[in-house]
Amino acid sequence: MQQRHAKIAIIGAGSAGLSAWHAARKHTDEVVLIEAGTYGTTCARVGCMPSKLLIAAANAAHNARKAEMFGITVKQVVIKGEAVMARVKHERDRFVSNVMKSMKTIPESNLLRGHARFIDPHTLVIDEHTRLTAEAIIIATGSRPTWPKLLEGAGNRLIINDDVFNWETLPASVAVIGPGVIGMELGQALSRLGVKTRTFGVGGAIGPFQSEKLRQLADETFNRELYLDADANLDKIEQTDNAVAITFFERDRGQKLTETFEYVLAATGRRPNVDQLAIEQAGLKLNKHGVPEFNRFTLQCLSTQNTPSHIFIAGDANQSVPLLHEAITEGKIAGRNAAHLDDVQVGQRNVPLAIVFTEPQMAIVGESRTTLDTRYGGCGCIAEGGVSFADQGRALVMGENKGYFELYAEHGSGQFLGAELFGPQVEHIAHLLAWALEQKLTVSQMLAMPFYHPVLEEGLRSGLRDLQANLQQGPAITEHCMECGPGD
Ligand SMILES: Cc1cc2nc3c(=O)[nH]c(=O)nc-3n(C[C@H](O)[C@H](O)[C@H](O)COP(=O)(O)OP(=O)(O)OC[C@H]3O[C@@H](n4cnc5c(N)ncnc54)[C@H](O)[C@@H]3O)c2cc1C
Ligand SMILES: NC(=O)c1ccc[n+]([C@@H]2O[C@H](COP(=O)([O-])OP(=O)(O)OC[C@H]3O[C@@H](n4cnc5c(N)ncnc54)[C@H](O)[C@@H]3O)[C@@H](O)[C@H]2O)c1
């Protein structure tokens, strides 16, 4: 077995690992980046990018059908499955090749191929071919889908997101299990592309929503377009000759039905890839899920002696906020700190921001109402404002007048604290709100900002006015603000 030594070993060449590589490499050449699987990152290969490509195709079909409401007849919407998947894969490959191009800047001698596992806190064995000792180690091993045993009845018809982006064409039918972020994005996209879908969940959760009002509105809104039972009663999942038979109780009538689908898509959550690292040999304190305890500002893990360790953990692997921008930030902080073990520093973290690319889109900025209530200990310090998009001017113009915003602020200071958003193109409004939160703006300061007319942001302004009134810092909205222009 080959023996090697490095100042820093990074396990996983995904987004967090690559970000850590670039940060660490500024300080030392002795960095080794280890990858067991395919180069190119989850985000580009089977995550963020191909899913948004599939959604873009689905929305094109949807908009063609929707044209009728504007008095425009599109005679026939024909979805060519092969062509849809060819574009998804072609553009996906472009994103992957960009990652590969940037990887070419990493010297071969700094790369190691194979599966890494710990044999002691400073030593990794890679595929039984290399024994690598390192002064600091960064775990950036990402996550993988997980599913309940019931789904295994589907046999080889059980698929995950990776499989979808390898399809040559679109299937006739897919049962989506799990109406979380992946299930809602892919489920709606497939349905809009003419695939027969049914989406089943447990416990009623939809997407990222914590607000019961938004959860219910999402349930009603999506059910106008597709079948979604967020609290389903699934009885049986069985593989048949070339399909899967699912027996379930239909959501409205409670009738027991058995239907066949070409595939069952497991979208029931992801687990961090730390269980195949022999993590118990790393001398780290593990939480009840077997994930190392760590400091989210330094990314430094805690040793079994409760002291800061020389091991860092970044990206989906730490199960904290499994999103791309967080993986990159965490990689950067971990890479810098791994190179300065004697001077570990706190890195800057941004406010929480999560966006789900369904239509209407779902988003969370800052803290949810539930988290705020817990944090503020039920002291009645939180004011809430809201606005419906049912008759918002610009949303009506576009025929996208669905949704509701819930906005939260602190009584007294009037500081904006967070929001749950369901509505048209909220990806942009979510950014405005995240930027306002980063700047620690008060609701009054936000209302003093410019608002064009007619734009969706006028809806946000109405929500902020309602919030300001509830903070007792402004008048209650009794009628539409006609001096602002019609349809705010
Ligand atoms: C379908 C889907 C859609 C998504 N959409 C979005 C989105 O729109 N916006 C967003 O912000 N986020 C999105 N995400 C989440 C985002 O993709 C992830 O948060 C991000 O890719 C995590 O990066 P990472 O570096 O932690 O993991 P990865 O990119 O998965 O990298 C981990 C790497 O570690 C390697 N590895 C694992 N174990 C070992 C080992 N023992 N030895 C060596 N190598 C190992 C793996 O092979 C892998 O290459 C989506 C995810 C999915 C699945
Ligand atoms: N737009 C984005 O930013 C984006 C897109 C996709 C994925 N992601 C990231 O990937 C992560 C993982 O996504 P995900 O959708 O796999 O996880 P998730 O946690 O968002 O959703 C899992 C869903 O499965 C449901 N579920 C669990 N067990 C079930 C069962 N036995 N039967 C039916 N339903 C069940 C849960 O109630 C939940 O609704 C997300 O948390 C997110 O961070 C982000």
Side-chain angles (χ1 to χ4, degrees):
M1 193 181 294
Q2 192 195 351
Q3 304 282 338
R4 279 189 70 171
H5 179 76
K7 188 159 180 208
I8 302 171
I10 302 171
I11 316 174
S15 303
L18 287 170
S19 166
W21 156 265
H22 287 291
R25 186 62 200 278
K26 286 187 188 145
H27 309 283
T28 171
D29 286 341
E30 287 182 70
V31 191
V32 173
L33 182 60
I34 310 156
E35 174 56 56
T38 316
Y39 283 141
T41 78
T42 292
C43 178
R45 287 190 314 105
V46 292
C48 330
M49 301 319 283
S51 58
K52 300 322 157 292
L53 285 161
L54 193 77
I55 290 167
N59 291 350
H62 181 75
N63 289 338
R65 290 188 203 102
K66 207 176 89 175
E68 196 67 44
M69 75 183 288
F70 298 102
I72 299 159
T73 301
V74 175
K75 281 244 170 75
Q76 202 190 358
V77 177
V78 180
I79 293 160
K80 299 182 200 150
E82 290 88 356
V84 168
M85 290 315 301
R87 179 177 190 269
V88 168
K89 290 194 276 188
H90 182 264
E91 295 302 322
R92 182 267 315 266
D93 291 348
R94 194 203 298 256
F95 293 119
V96 173
S97 81
N98 287 342
V99 177
M100 301 304 285
K101 239 183 257 161
S102 104
M103 280 206 67
K104 289 232 162 68
T105 61
I106 304 177
E108 271 299 318
S109 55
N110 293 81
L111 294 171
L112 257 183
R113 299 287 291 160
H115 180 94
R117 66 186 162 83
F118 284 91
I119 56 166
D120 68 50
H122 279 282
T123 314
L124 299 169
V125 165
I126 295 104
D127 264 3
E128 314 303 328
H129 58 66
T130 304
R131 192 184 165 101
L132 176 71
T133 53
E135 286 156 45
I137 297 175
I138 300 173
I139 301 170
T141 47
S143 62
R144 64 180 189 277
T146 174
W147 52 82
K149 212 165 169 37
L150 176 73
L151 269 57
E152 281 167 13
N156 64 10
R157 296 269 133 190
L158 180 64
I159 56 163
I160 58 168
N161 54 291
D162 300 31
D163 302 305
V164 170
F165 308 122
N166 277 331
W167 283 339
E168 292 300 319
T169 188
L170 293 165
S173 54
V174 175
V176 180
I177 316 293
V181 183
I182 294 178
M184 289 310 297
E185 284 189 353
L186 295 185
Q188 185 184 46
L190 292 174
S191 166
R192 288 184 168 190
L193 287 166
V195 177
K196 182 190 106 178
T197 66
R198 284 197 190 257
T199 300
F200 303 100
V202 281
I206 297 178
F209 286 142
Q210 303 286 311
S211 152
E212 179 54 21
K213 182 182 178 95
L214 292 198
R215 197 204 64 75
Q216 270 184 27
L217 185 61
D219 191 38
E220 280 162 37
T221 308
F222 289 123
N223 264 294
R224 269 183 238 129
E225 182 181 333
L226 46 83
Y227 180 95
L228 160 63
D229 186 352
D231 193 14
N233 188 347
L234 285 183
D235 190 40
K236 220 188 299 165
I237 300 185
E238 274 179 321
Q239 184 172 16
T240 60
D241 286 345
N242 271 323
V244 187
I246 301 192
T247 304
F248 62 99
F249 292 86
E250 203 262 344
R251 73 168 258 159
D252 294 322
R253 285 165 291 155
Q255 194 186 348
K256 193 172 183 177
L257 298 177
T258 299
E259 280 185 8
T260 55
F261 297 86
E262 252 181 77
Y263 295 108
V264 171
L265 173 64
T268 40
R270 294 175 70 86
R271 64 182 293 182
N273 291 325
V274 289
D275 53 331
Q276 293 157 356
L277 278 176
I279 194 78
E280 58 291 348
Q281 314 285 343
L284 299 177
K285 191 166 178 183
L286 306 179
N287 68 18
K288 63 176 190 240
H289 304 293
V291 178
E293 290 193 6
F294 71 103
N295 177 323
R296 76 179 290 267
F297 297 100
T298 61
L299 280 308
Q300 196 165 23
C301 297
L302 202 60
S303 78
T304 42
Q305 278 80 46
N306 281 330
T307 53
S309 151
H310 60 285
I311 302 176
F312 298 78
I313 186 162
D316 282 17
N318 67 32
Q319 212 178 22
S320 169
V321 196
L323 293 173
L324 190 270
H325 64 280
E326 300 282 2
I328 290 180
T329 303
E330 291 181 355
K332 205 163 142 187
I333 299 171
R336 187 262 163 219
N337 280 341
H340 295 90
L341 283 180
D342 51 354
D343 178 30
V344 167
Q345 289 183 3
V346 160
Q348 198 213 321
R349 302 302 306 255
N350 288 120
V351 300
L353 170 63
I355 298 164
V356 184
F357 295 84
T358 47
E359 271 188 5
Q361 292 184 340
M362 305 184 257
I364 305 229
V365 179
E367 311 279 20
S368 70
R369 179 70 205 252
T370 325
T371 317
L372 287 171
D373 282 340
T374 314
R375 163 137 357 136
Y376 282 73
C379 62
C381 312
I382 309 297
E384 186 176 315
V387 60
S388 163
F389 269 66
D391 52 7
Q392 200 276 332
R394 186 62 190 277
L396 265 164
V397 166
M398 299 186 299
E400 292 179 27
N401 50 319
K402 295 174 196 141
Y404 193 87
F405 290 0
E406 264 187 19
L407 304 153
Y408 319 117
E410 185 185 44
H411 272 297
S413 71
Q415 195 178 320
F416 173 66
L417 295 175
E420 295 204 22
L421 313 170
F422 184 52
Q425 300 174 29
V426 296
E427 62 185 275
H428 306 296
I429 289 174
H431 275 86
L432 285 184
L433 290 176
W435 293 9
L437 190 55
E438 285 283 351
Q439 300 293 318
K440 299 193 170 29
L441 296 189
T442 63
V443 176
S444 305
Q445 287 170 323
M446 291 160 81
L447 280 168
M449 296 293 167
F451 289 86
Y452 207 76
H453 175 72
V455 292
L456 295 169
E457 286 75 3
E458 290 177 295
L460 171 63
R461 179 175 56 190
S462 298
L464 289 172
R465 284 212 171 104
D466 187 49
L467 181 56
Q468 198 186 32
N470 295 336
L471 284 165
Q472 294 171 305
Q473 293 183 350
I477 301 179
T478 48
E479 57 182 45
H480 274 291
C481 166
M482 287 310 291
E483 81 274 16
C484 313
D488 64 313

